[in-house]
Amino acid sequence: MKQARFTDEQVIGILKEHENGLKTADVCRKHGISEATFYKYKAKFGGMEVSDARKLKALEDENARLKKLLAETMLDNAILKDVASKKW
C-alpha cells in the first residue's frame, strides 16, 4: 500500500487553511495537491480536530486487528469441522 504523503494532522491543517478563507486552488497549489485530493481529504476529515483524527486512526487500527483475529478464528473453526466430519 502506498505511504501517505501527509499525516492526518497535516491534512487537517490544510483544511483549516481553506476554512480560514483561502481559495481551494491556492491551498492546493501551496501544498502540491490536486483539487480532487483536496475534496477527498475534505470528505474524510472535514470538521474534525486533530484529537478526533487520532481517535479515528486508533479505531481503524483496532478494527483491522479484530478483523484479522476473526478471520483466523473462523479458519480454525472450519479446519476443526472438516477434521471432525471425516470418518476414521
Side-chain angles (χ1 to χ4, degrees):
M1 197 165 112
K2 185 177 178 183
Q3 184 178 358
R5 184 172 168 192
F6 298 108
T7 64
D8 295 346
E9 291 84 5
Q10 290 172 327
V11 170
I12 292 173
I14 292 169
L15 294 175
K16 293 286 183 191
E17 288 180 19
H18 180 260
E19 290 174 5
N20 290 335
L22 284 177
K23 293 182 180 179
T24 305
D26 295 336
V27 173
C28 293
R29 190 176 317 112
K30 178 180 176 184
H31 295 285
I33 59 174
S34 68
E35 288 191 22
T37 302
F38 175 82
Y39 287 115
K40 184 178 73 169
Y41 288 160
K42 190 173 181 180
K44 185 173 181 182
F45 296 106
M48 280 191 185
E49 296 295 327
V50 174
S51 61
D52 296 335
R54 288 185 183 140
K55 288 177 189 175
L56 176 66
K57 180 68 175 165
L59 287 173
E60 287 174 345
D61 291 343
E62 182 180 7
N63 193 22
R65 184 181 61 82
L66 291 173
K67 283 182 180 181
K68 184 177 177 184
L69 286 173
L70 177 64
E72 290 173 354
T73 304
M74 290 176 70
L75 182 62
D76 290 343
N77 193 7
I79 291 171
L80 290 174
K81 282 183 182 179
D82 188 39
V83 168
S85 68
K86 291 183 180 179
K87 294 184 179 179
W88 294 98

